[in-house]
Amino acid sequence: MAKTVIYTDFDGVINAFMQDKILRRGGQGNLGWLKPEDPRRILYDTSNAFLLNKTKRLMLPGFHRKLRIRWSEELAGLMYRAAVEGRAELNWLSTWQPFTAYLNEEFGWDAAVVETVCWYDPETGEGRLTGKRTTVRRRIEAERRVADSQPIVWIDDEECYDQSRIELESLLPAAPLLMVRPDERIGISRRQWELIDRFIADPADFPPVTLDEEPTIHEHQGHIGY
């Protein structure tokens, strides 16, 4: 089967939003203060989450303050390696579309290896509401018209959910599609990366459309602020 295409968001996927209270008390290296039954002990533990060991404050054009990003060097390396080794095509599909050059520089990603999808107009905002799903839908439709269809991985912490799955499944993809929805507090989990890696290695072993949501997402949405 043809090489897998990866479309990845940035915020909540690679750029994780660890809770302030966790950060103030030492981050992932100091979780002992959490009660044993607190689900955050497992969520942030480095056996489940990649260690968020890199942080940077970026001053971007058009912004009046620096934006802090926090990511895992290990995860970024694994994603890039899949592209460098020719196992996947890696594409940014993010509202950071105008600024992915800054991200590539921080990660050590070559722009000749990692593409940026232009899916909305950064001046007018046109396309921001539906542009991501439209991009994936059009790629599925395009792959149906070629003999050696490419499988697709779409990673997004907001747009990969059941309604999107139903819509994309109705297109009858010619090659498997894996939708991955991380928990924004940790980004892509180790379990989810292992799933993505297995999909890249053997997409034919997957159903036409698979949606994987990190189990803690819905629990987090019901307890924002704890």
Side-chain angles (χ1 to χ4, degrees):
M1 187 169 282
K3 183 190 301 185
T4 297
V5 178
I6 298 176
Y7 291 113
T8 186
D9 189 16
F10 178 59
D11 286 335
V13 172
I14 300 175
N15 183 30
F17 301 114
M18 189 185 299
Q19 291 171 308
D20 288 342
K21 193 171 184 179
I22 301 290
L23 284 170
R24 290 196 305 269
R25 297 199 176 191
Q28 290 168 283
N30 184 33
L31 301 174
W33 60 274
L34 292 167
K35 294 179 180 179
E37 67 274 13
D38 193 317
R40 290 175 294 179
R41 288 189 69 141
I42 297 174
L43 174 71
Y44 287 110
D45 191 274
T46 53
S47 64
N48 176 68
F50 287 95
L51 178 64
L52 300 168
N53 65 321
K54 302 289 286 185
T55 185
K56 185 69 178 286
R57 290 170 63 87
L58 296 177
M59 178 59 78
L60 303 176
F63 286 80
H64 301 295
R65 62 181 178 85
K66 290 183 177 181
L67 299 181
R68 182 181 293 280
I69 61 174
R70 180 172 285 104
W71 74 97
S72 163
E73 190 174 31
E74 181 185 0
L75 173 61
L78 289 169
M79 296 180 76
Y80 187 58
R81 188 182 308 159
V84 170
E85 293 176 349
R87 296 186 291 118
E89 294 179 11
L90 187 55
N91 301 274
W92 286 115
L93 184 60
S94 168
T95 52
W96 281 68
Q97 171 190 304
F99 311 115
T100 54
Y102 294 87
L103 302 181
N104 290 340
E105 182 178 355
E106 291 300 326
F107 298 166
W109 289 7
D110 188 341
V113 175
V114 184
E115 296 286 337
T116 297
V117 178
C118 296
W119 59 277
Y120 75 96
D121 187 324
E123 298 295 327
T124 66
E126 183 180 356
R128 283 188 62 144
L129 291 179
T130 59
K132 288 184 178 180
R133 198 186 307 181
T134 297
T135 296
V136 177
R137 185 177 68 243
R138 287 176 176 170
R139 186 59 181 260
I140 290 172
E141 292 170 342
E143 293 301 327
R144 290 185 60 191
R145 296 193 291 269
V146 298
D148 196 14
S149 304
Q150 292 183 268
I152 298 170
V153 176
W154 180 23
I155 314 168
D156 196 292
D157 67 310
E158 294 182 334
E159 303 227 19
C160 288
Y161 54 91
D162 207 49
Q163 182 179 339
S164 299
R165 178 194 62 78
I166 292 170
E167 177 185 328
L168 297 176
E169 198 169 42
S170 71
L171 299 176
L172 303 177
L177 165 67
L178 172 62
M179 303 169 63
V180 177
R181 186 182 183 192
D183 186 315
E184 65 172 12
R185 295 171 292 178
I186 61 170
I188 299 170
S189 68
R190 291 189 181 277
R191 180 194 63 80
Q192 287 183 319
W193 177 256
E194 289 173 2
L195 179 67
I196 293 167
D197 203 39
R198 284 198 290 110
F199 183 90
I200 293 171
D202 189 11
D205 195 42
F206 284 73
V209 179
T210 301
L211 170 62
D212 183 89
E213 296 180 295
E214 192 65 23
T216 51
I217 290 173
H218 300 291
E219 168 194 281
H220 175 50
Q221 290 175 335
H223 298 84
I224 295 293
Y226 76 122

